[in-house]
Amino acid sequence: MGWSFKAHGGIALALSAWVLLSVVLAWLPEGSPSAGMTWLVTLGVLFLVGVAAWVRVLLCKADKKMLWLAFRCLPGRLRAVLGVLAVTGVLLTLIGASQEDDLQTDGVEDGRYYVYDTTPLHRGRAEVSRSTYEEVLRREQRSMLPVFGAAFAVIACLVFSAGEVRQADSRSKSAHAKAT
C-alpha cells in the first residue's frame, strides 16, 4: 500500500478516535476539552475526507467484493482497531439517542446563553445559565458526534482497502510485464 493511502487512512482513523474520545470525555462531569467543537465543523471535515476516499475507491475500480477481500488482507491489529472504532461509534450513538432531551443549544449573544426548548407546552427560546448551556452542549455532543466517529472509521476502512487493491493491481501489472 502506498504512503498516500496510509496517510489518508491514518488521518481518517485519527479523526475517528479523536471524535469518539471527545464523546467519551463529554460523559465526564468536568466536560470535554473540545466541547466547543460543533457538529457542523465535523461534518465539513467528514465531507472532505469522505469525498477524497470515495474518489480513491472509484479510481481503483473495485467493487464491494474486491474491497471486502482487500479488507481481509489488512493486518489483524488494524482490522481490530477499525472494528472497535466503528462498533464504539454505533454503540455511543444508540446510547446518546436513547437519552431524550427537550433542550437544544441556540447560541450565545452578548454573554447570555440561549437554548431552544422543544417541550410541547413551553416551545421557544429561553435564556439559561452558562452551566446549563454547557450541559446541553455536552448532551448534544454525546448524541451527534458518535455518528461522525463511526463514519470516519468506515472511511478509513475504505481507504485502506482501496490501498490494498491498488497494491495488488500494481503487483499484478509488474508480474504480467515480467512474464511478457
Side-chain angles (χ1 to χ4, degrees):
M1 174 178 339
W3 66 269
S4 67
F5 285 95
K6 289 178 184 177
H8 187 183
I11 289 170
L13 191 67
L15 287 171
S16 175
W18 177 65
V19 168
L20 293 175
L21 179 64
S22 69
V23 171
V24 169
L25 290 176
W27 289 95
L28 299 175
E30 296 86 31
S32 169
S34 61
M37 180 177 59
T38 63
W39 65 270
L40 193 58
V41 171
T42 308
L43 180 63
V45 173
L46 178 69
F47 178 74
L48 293 174
V49 174
V51 166
W54 189 253
V55 168
R56 285 182 165 239
V57 169
L58 289 176
L59 288 176
C60 76
K61 298 177 183 167
D63 60 353
K64 290 185 278 186
K65 184 177 180 182
M66 194 181 303
L67 286 172
W68 173 248
L69 291 173
F71 175 74
R72 292 182 54 190
C73 291
L74 292 174
R77 289 182 184 164
L78 178 60
R79 286 186 303 183
V81 168
L82 291 168
V84 165
L85 287 174
V87 169
T88 302
V90 169
L91 289 176
L92 288 175
T93 299
L94 293 174
I95 291 170
S98 67
Q99 298 177 341
E100 292 192 26
D101 188 26
D102 296 328
L103 298 178
Q104 300 170 353
T105 56
D106 194 28
V108 180
E109 297 174 5
D110 300 325
R112 294 179 172 176
Y113 298 90
Y114 294 98
V115 295
Y116 188 77
D117 191 357
T118 60
T119 54
L121 298 176
H122 302 291
R123 213 170 265 279
R125 191 174 192 206
E127 184 177 348
V128 294
S129 66
R130 179 179 179 174
S131 61
T132 303
Y133 182 83
E134 288 175 352
E135 178 59 32
V136 171
L137 185 64
R138 277 196 302 272
R139 263 189 253 132
E140 283 180 352
Q141 187 176 8
R142 287 190 300 246
S143 65
M144 286 290 281
L145 290 180
V147 174
F148 300 123
F152 278 125
V154 169
I155 288 170
C157 286
L158 286 173
V159 170
F160 287 133
S161 297
E164 284 293 316
V165 168
R166 182 72 82 148
Q167 183 180 18
D169 283 347
S170 66
R171 281 188 202 149
S172 173
K173 287 178 185 175
S174 66
H176 182 67
K178 287 180 184 178
T180 57

